[in-house]
Structure formats: C-alpha cells, structure tokens
Amino acid sequence: MVAQLLLARELMVASSGDELSIALVFFAWLLWVGVGSTAGGLAVKFFKPPPSAIAWLLIVYGLLIPFSIFWARCQGQLLGFHQGEMIPVGTTLLAALIALGPVSVFTGILFSVLCRSAEDEGGRGGAGIVYSLDTAGSVVGGVTFSLLLVQLLSPTSCAALAGLAVIIAGTFNLSGATRNVVLAVAAVLLISSPFWIARVEKHTRETAWGRNIEFSMESGYGNITVLKDDEQYSIFSNGQFTGAVPDSVFGEYSAHIPLLAHPAPRRVMTIGASATTVSEALKHGIEKIDVVELDPRMQAVRRRLCPDNLKWIYDDPRVDIIVRDPRRFLAKTDRKYDVIIIEADAPRTLQQNRYFTVEFLSLLRARLSESGLAATSVPFTENYMGSAEVALLGSIIATYKQLDAAMPLLIPGPKTFLLWSPGRQLEISAEKAAARFNARGIKSAHFSADSAAYYFDAGRIGFALSQFSDDIMEYSMTDDKMGAAFQWLTSRDDVRPDSDKRPVSVFLHSVFTSTYFRSPAYRIIGSARRIVTGNITIYFLLAAAILFAAGFSGGPGSHVAMSGGVFIVGFTGILVELVLIFHFQTVFGIVYQYLGLLTAAFLGGAAVGGAAGARVARGRGVGAAWSLPAAACGLAVVAAAGYAYTYLSSGSTIFDAAAITFLIFAGGAAPGFIYPCAVSLWNVRKGMTESGAAGFLYAADLFGACTGALLMGTILFPLLGVAGSFRLLLPACLTVFAAFLGPVARLLRTRNG
C-alpha cells in the first residue's frame, strides 16, 4: 500500500499535479497485479510453494519498493520528458505502466502463493482470510502513511522503510543462517540510512528535473521544488510552475490590471499572489489586503525567498496573511471586497478547477461589494487558439453564463484576466485606465500609464477576439465584439459549463494537452467520449441478459457468468472509490495528503466484507449462493446513496467528510463480501481447487477494476461528474445481479431436479 501511494504521488508530480493520474496509477497497479495473480494461480495448480520460496518472494518484493520510486522519477529520460513539462495523458499512462510493473506483478504472484499456503494449512475459506488480511494490512499502511510517515519522512525514506519491513517479514520463513545474513544486511542499511537517504532523494529529484535543484519538500498539497537561475528562483508545485522570485514584470501586471478596473479599491483579497503583486497593489491606496494561501508550506517558501526590498509587506498592518483554503475562507468570512484577484492560471487539475466552477463564482459574488469585481487568470493566446483550447475557454465563459449576472471583460496580456463584476457590466477605456494610474501617483519599474492604455485598448482586444468568429466582416461591424465572441465560444457543441460535480474543464484541458503533442490518445478519448455520452446503459442491459443466459446454461457458461460478474464488481467498486477521491479533492483540495486515508477506508470496507463473505462461504449451502445476488443489490444501494449525496451535500465540512468516508467504506465492503462467496460457488460449479479459483477470480476482479480506473481517469469523471458516475453504476449493478443470478438459479434447479 505504501508503495502504491508513493507511486501515485510521484506520477501526480510528473503529470503537473493532475489528480486524474491517480486513476491511471490504479489502472497500472491493478492490471499488473491481475497479471501476477493469474500467473501465480496457474503456478500453484501444479506445485506447492515451500516456505523458503515465499520468503524470497517477499525479500525481492521489498527490494522492488524503493527501486520503483527511483524508477518513477528517472524514467522521464526514457520517455523524453522532464518534470515541469506538460505531458499528454498517453505518456502519463505509459509512465504508470512502466513504474508500477515489477512491484505490482510480484504483489499478484504473492497473493496466489499465500492463498495456496493458507488452503493447505487451514482448508476452506483460506482465500477469504488472505484477502481480508491483505486488505487489513493495506488499511494500516494507508492510515500510517497519511497521518505519520509523510509528516516525518521523505518519499525515499518511506519507500526504504516499507521495503525493509517486507524484507524482515520474509526472513521468518528462512533457515537460521540465511535469516541472520539477511537481517544483518538490513541492519547495516538501516543504521547507515542517515548518510545515503538524503543524497539519493536529491539525486533522483535532479534526474527527474534534468538539472540541479535548489531544494525540494513535501506538503499536504503536493511536492514543492525550487530551481535557481542566476539570482531568480522558480517555484513549482507538483511539477507545475507557480511563480518566480523576484517577479517584477508579472507581479506588477497582476496587481495593476484588476485594480485599475475599479474606480476606488479599498479592500482587496488575493489568491496565490506574489510579494510583488501585494506591494504593487498597496500603491493603489488600499486600506486592507487579505493574502490567502492554500498551502502553509508554499507560503513559508514564498516568505523564505522573498527579496529583502519586499520583506516589509509581511509586517505591514494593511496586509493580512491568511493560510487557509480560499474557498472555505470565502464561505465562512463576512468580509466584503472591492477586488478579488485569483491567479489560478488554468483548470489543469481538480485543485485548480475549484476556482473556475459555478459554485466558486457564487462564492465570489457573495463576497464582492456592490461595485466589486473579481479578476481570474485564464488560458488565452492572442494570435491563434486550437480547437481544444477554444473549447476550454468556451467552457470557462459558459460557466459565467450560468449566473444571472453581467458577463466578464477579457483583458489579454502576459496573463489574460477575466474581470467580472456581477452587478454591472465593466467598461474601462484605455484613457480611463491610464488616467487612474496617473491619478493614484503610482510608480512602477515595468508598468506605466502607457502600459495601462495598451492593455485596455478596445481595438487590440477586439482584434485578439476576432479569431472567435465565422465571418470576420460581420464581426468587424459588430459594436459589442466581446459579446459576439463570447456567444460564438459558448455555442460550440463541445462546450459545457464547469461545476464542482462535473469538472468538464479538466477533461478539455486533457484533450488540449493530447492535441498539443499530437498524441493518439486524443482520438481514443474522442471515440470513448461518444460512447459514454451515448446509450451506455443499453450496453450494460445487453451484458446483463447475456451473462444471465450463460450462467443459467451451466458448464462453461457458468464460468463466463461468474467471471463476468466479478469483473463488473471490480469495475463498480473502483468507480465508487475514485469518484469519491476526486470529489474529495474538489471539496477539500488536499487529496495529496489524505489519499492514504481514503484508500484505507475503501480497503477497510473490503476487509470487513471479505471476512463476512469468507464466513458465509464456508457454509457452501444455498444461502451462500443467494448471498451473491443479494450483495449485488447492496452494491446498487451504495450507488444510489452516492447519487443522493450529490444532491444532499450542504457544504458542511463535517457532512462532506463523513459522507465521503462512509460511501468509500461501503463501496469496498460489497466487493469484499462478493469475492470469497464467488470463489466458493466457483468451486461448486467447476471442481477446481480453492487457490486456483481464487487466483482466476482475483484476476477478473482486478481486470474489471483496472478497466474502471482507466475510464474514470480519462473520460467518466470529467464528463459525467459525481452524479453522472453514480447514475452509471446502477445499470452496472443490475448486470452484476443478473450475472450471479444465472449460476445460482442453475444450481438450485440441479439440486431440486
């Protein structure tokens, strides 16, 4: 579990913080574990593994854990990218497959081997016991990782410690002399770790970046890495550039453009602002500025690197540094602001997308004064934008249209800002902007009254927006060019408004990345999108009919039905887990820290369900057979509860945390219960050994889960959102019910006949 969590975090950094890469990590992990369990299931059919074989498998597995972390960082050299670069989803998927391959295959092999060992020692129900112990150990690992290990140790230290623990566990099955040698080597590595851990951590980070780094640290929100070129520092969060120090050009621009749009700003709030932006903002006669920062360690880094001539802002009584989730701050505070500046760049990730949804715009509207305005940086290119980039901008504009308010004003520049005042339509001429700059007596190194006139020039803005028109002559004769451009953008078929529960912009940015690199993933994603948004329910109903008929026919058909049912159970379970993990990131923005806890909740449910299922499976009676369709109904109840949650969520932190945790736990309990019961029924129908059945059905479960993970991370969640994903699970659960009902009905008919 610790290895999986570490690799998920490493791939998030490699993919510039894209949380959907978590699903790709799950896909790779489950795929390779399925391959390993299939190979192990075949192997244990023909021989009984001795204790020494289990010991050496564990030792090799322990060595692979730190190796996989290093390999995840270094494989960019092989795939042709460095951290800090934008990479398409296809490359991220390939990186996940390569990084997780060795350790995942060994995980699957070990599962089948241990199931055979448990069967030989304890008889029936051994697979369920191993399944429960495996998931229980994962729960402990996930909780320990999130609450303790990541707080105290570097990723390299965590990987080394996890590997060492596995190696020591393996030595218990070795003979005395061999055990002593292995333990002695482990002790030497542990004692000498203070001398090599830090060096390995820094060296592998520098290999990932392809250059020297100033320093790197972990926070609850991601990896923070700082590079240095001459006297300038570049700050990256999860591999994504977030600012430079000093930042005179962009910092001045980010302050002056929004504040010049307001006639008399007095109270200001910023999100993600640099020290330069704050110091320049104060030149506008501001009485109070709240500088809100999501990540406390990022704020500490900004303060640490702040130039000496700007350190005074941290002691200025007009400046209030607030380290808190900006969305929750806006929801709880009663302060009103004349200007709110959001430097979120683009909705590349779920965390950034939190500042582009209709829910966030509603928070802004509630916290703005009567004449107040909000300024949000958005992706824009003045000369030409491709179809995917246009769709992304159109989605952002369409989101503003969801509110009964004035439309925003777009100001292209080094950072393109959308200036939005809900209560009035903003109209700032070049002359007015320049006059305000002069009237306020502002002196800046790189920004002047001429700069203000240039950026607010209507002719320049109109020309930049002319690309959003099918008839340039008609557009040139239109008085409201911005309104015409926005109408053209939002009327496209591929444009949808963005919301917390349906983060369409994240999907569109993924499409943009793929088209930018001409990745074949773009065509695959486009085809899958048409299927998902089409009649996917019909496909599930058709599968339900086929699996029921196959199961009722008996013989090989029963094998097909059981495998298909377990496959869809794995598919459904991982969808429940991932959709709630992603929603947790949307609500709280700190999945990087608590991914272990969320995964532990799912596996905790699987452990409880697996233990209950193992107990039922030992009965081998009609009740055990009927438990499978009943469990499928329970899984449908979980999906229905998740769907209901999307409409019951009140914005309460406690309610959201409790609901997400409970649903994840329940989403793990149903598949956990089904697995040992399915193994028991498989034995009745096929006459196979329990370990062999366990291996094959475990593989079916994992292949179903990895299919769900792949679709969830690329298509389903960004397009369907929370409610749509849960709604999709209802016909999936019906298919599971039909798949299990067929073999059970056949079994009852045979016994009664």
Side-chain angles (χ1 to χ4, degrees):
M1 172 52 61
V2 172
Q4 182 183 7
L5 294 172
L6 286 170
L7 287 167
R9 287 159 62 107
E10 293 296 331
L11 266 295
M12 275 184 65
V13 176
S15 59
S16 298
D18 184 5
E19 302 90 348
L20 298 184
S21 65
I22 295 173
L24 302 184
V25 169
F26 280 26
F27 164 76
W29 179 273
L30 295 166
L31 175 65
W32 287 124
V33 170
V35 170
S37 67
T38 301
L42 290 171
V44 298
K45 285 176 62 178
F46 302 106
F47 73 95
K48 175 185 176 181
S52 60
I54 297 175
W56 286 111
L57 283 173
L58 287 169
I59 290 171
V60 174
Y61 181 69
L63 293 173
L64 285 174
I65 292 175
F67 169 79
S68 297
I69 304 303
F70 306 151
W71 178 232
R73 294 180 182 177
C74 300
Q75 64 178 321
Q77 305 285 345
L78 173 66
L79 299 178
F81 72 89
H82 294 296
Q83 284 188 6
E85 297 179 3
M86 184 172 62
I87 60 174
V89 64
T91 303
T92 303
L93 176 59
L94 182 59
L97 288 169
I98 294 173
L100 281 92
V103 69
S104 304
V105 169
F106 262 82
T107 300
I109 292 173
L110 274 169
F111 180 82
S112 293
V113 170
L114 291 172
C115 282
R116 174 61 189 271
S117 178
E119 179 184 355
D120 292 337
E121 294 181 8
R124 294 176 178 178
I129 294 173
V130 172
Y131 187 86
S132 297
L133 291 175
D134 175 54
T135 50
S138 297
V139 169
V140 174
V143 172
T144 304
F145 180 82
S146 289
L147 298 183
L148 183 62
L149 294 182
V150 296
Q151 304 284 349
L152 302 175
L153 303 175
S154 68
T156 301
S157 299
C158 289
L161 183 61
L164 188 62
V166 174
I167 290 172
I168 292 174
T171 61
F172 288 107
N173 288 320
L174 292 175
S175 61
T178 307
R179 178 193 305 168
N180 292 338
V181 171
V182 175
L183 288 175
V185 173
V188 170
L189 290 173
L190 180 62
I191 294 171
S192 63
S193 60
F195 301 98
W196 58 268
I197 284 283
R199 291 189 180 128
V200 172
E201 171 74 17
K202 190 171 189 296
H203 176 71
T204 53
R205 285 288 183 202
E206 290 181 337
T207 303
W209 284 91
R211 53 163 296 166
N212 293 333
I213 64 175
E214 186 70 10
F215 62 87
S216 180
M217 67 172 65
E218 299 291 311
S219 83
Y221 299 89
N223 171 264
I224 300 173
T225 297
V226 175
L227 310 180
K228 185 178 181 182
D229 295 286
D230 296 327
E231 297 303 318
Q232 179 165 296
Y233 297 94
S234 298
I235 306 173
F236 292 81
S237 176
N238 275 338
Q240 189 173 153
F241 179 73
T242 60
V245 179
D247 182 29
S248 54
V249 176
F250 287 100
E252 292 179 8
Y253 172 87
S254 297
H256 296 313
I257 292 298
L259 293 171
L260 288 174
H262 195 281
R266 291 295 176 263
R267 190 169 191 105
V268 175
M269 173 184 167
T270 67
I271 299 174
S274 67
T276 302
T277 299
V278 176
S279 65
E280 292 294 312
L282 292 171
K283 297 177 180 179
H284 287 259
I286 290 172
E287 297 172 356
K288 194 71 176 179
I289 179 169
D290 291 339
V291 181
V292 184
E293 179 66 58
L294 173 68
D295 188 348
R297 293 198 175 181
M298 177 62 76
Q299 178 59 34
V301 168
R302 293 185 190 276
R303 188 161 188 166
R304 170 181 170 181
L305 300 178
C306 183
D308 291 338
N309 65 324
L310 293 176
K311 289 183 182 286
W312 59 268
I313 68 165
Y314 293 101
D315 300 317
D316 194 298
R318 294 171 294 175
V319 180
D320 189 6
I321 307 294
I322 301 170
V323 181
R324 188 177 178 185
D325 179 3
R327 284 186 50 141
R328 298 210 169 271
F329 173 76
L330 285 170
K332 299 296 183 182
T333 187
D334 57 357
R335 300 174 184 176
K336 292 284 188 176
Y337 297 97
D338 297 315
V339 178
I340 299 177
I341 304 172
I342 306 104
E343 297 191 61
D345 190 25
R348 300 177 183 177
T349 67
L350 292 174
Q351 187 181 86
Q352 289 175 309
N353 194 65
R354 301 169 77 232
Y355 306 115
F356 292 88
T357 64
V358 67
E359 291 85 354
F360 180 69
L361 294 182
S362 298
L363 287 174
L364 290 179
R365 180 166 61 178
R367 298 273 59 85
L368 288 171
S369 62
E370 185 176 349
S371 60
L373 65 91
T376 304
S377 56
V378 296
F380 183 81
T381 304
E382 288 193 39
N383 297 322
Y384 172 78
M385 294 173 65
S387 177
E389 196 175 9
V390 168
L392 178 59
L393 180 61
S395 174
I396 295 172
I397 301 299
T399 306
Y400 283 87
K401 275 194 168 185
Q402 295 298 296
L403 286 84
D404 184 17
M407 289 301 291
L409 174 67
L410 187 142
I411 307 294
K415 286 183 179 180
T416 295
F417 276 109
L418 279 178
L419 306 179
W420 179 57
S421 182
R424 61 192 176 98
Q425 188 63 52
L426 291 174
E427 294 182 5
I428 302 98
S429 66
E431 295 76 14
K432 182 184 292 185
R436 286 176 178 173
F437 188 89
N438 288 326
R440 295 172 188 176
I442 300 172
K443 302 295 182 183
S444 295
H446 303 280
F447 199 98
S448 64
D450 290 338
S451 303
Y454 171 78
Y455 289 122
F456 282 94
D457 181 68
R460 183 187 72 88
I461 297 172
F463 179 77
L465 294 175
S466 63
Q467 59 184 299
F468 308 131
S469 173
D470 295 322
D471 188 335
I472 190 64
M473 293 300 295
E474 180 181 349
Y475 173 82
S476 63
M477 298 174 63
T478 302
D479 292 331
D480 184 11
K481 292 182 171 53
M482 190 165 297
F486 285 175
Q487 179 61 35
W488 185 90
L489 281 167
T490 56
S491 63
R492 291 169 53 98
D493 292 336
D494 53 357
V495 167
R496 298 287 186 278
D498 204 351
S499 69
D500 287 349
K501 296 183 175 67
R502 193 179 182 187
V504 176
S505 293
V506 177
F507 170 80
L508 293 174
H509 190 274
S510 177
V511 173
F512 163 66
T513 303
S514 297
T515 56
Y516 182 85
F517 288 95
R518 298 182 180 178
S519 169
Y522 169 65
R523 291 186 293 274
I524 297 173
I525 290 173
S527 300
R529 179 184 186 180
R530 288 189 289 273
I531 294 173
V532 168
T533 55
N535 298 320
I536 192 170
T537 301
I538 295 177
Y539 299 126
F540 275 117
L541 296 178
L542 180 62
I546 293 173
L547 291 176
F548 176 81
F552 190 75
S553 67
S558 177
H559 175 205
V560 171
M562 293 295 296
S563 300
V566 172
F567 177 92
I568 301 174
V569 166
F571 176 90
T572 304
I574 201 69
L575 255 65
V576 171
E577 180 182 10
L578 285 173
V579 71
L580 291 167
I581 285 175
F582 296 151
H583 186 57
F584 178 90
Q585 177 70 341
T586 299
V587 174
F588 298 101
I590 194 170
V591 76
Y592 193 81
Q593 172 74 40
Y594 292 113
L595 178 61
L597 282 177
L598 297 173
T599 307
F602 181 84
L603 293 174
V608 172
R615 184 171 182 177
V616 172
R618 290 193 185 99
R620 301 265 184 162
V622 175
W626 274 112
S627 65
L628 285 171
C633 294
L635 194 58
V637 171
V638 174
Y643 183 75
Y645 159 70
T646 62
Y647 295 99
L648 295 175
S649 180
S650 62
S652 166
T653 302
I654 296 176
F655 175 82
D656 282 325
I660 290 172
T661 304
F662 173 77
L663 288 171
I664 290 179
F665 179 88
F673 179 87
I674 287 171
Y675 173 73
C677 293
V679 171
S680 174
L681 185 60
W682 179 295
N683 287 338
V684 172
R685 300 302 303 161
K686 299 293 294 180
M688 184 184 291
T689 63
E690 182 177 281
S691 58
F696 281 112
L697 286 180
Y698 189 54
D701 176 64
L702 291 174
F703 288 137
C706 73
T707 301
L710 179 62
L711 292 176
M712 179 58 70
T714 55
I715 301 291
L716 295 180
F717 185 75
L719 283 181
L720 302 180
V722 183
S725 297
F726 277 120
R727 189 167 56 246
L728 174 68
L729 293 179
L730 294 175
C733 292
L734 175 62
T735 306
V736 174
F737 178 83
F740 291 148
L741 186 62
V744 171
R746 175 72 179 184
L747 176 63
L748 294 175
R749 179 181 177 183
T750 302
R751 289 187 175 183
N752 294 331

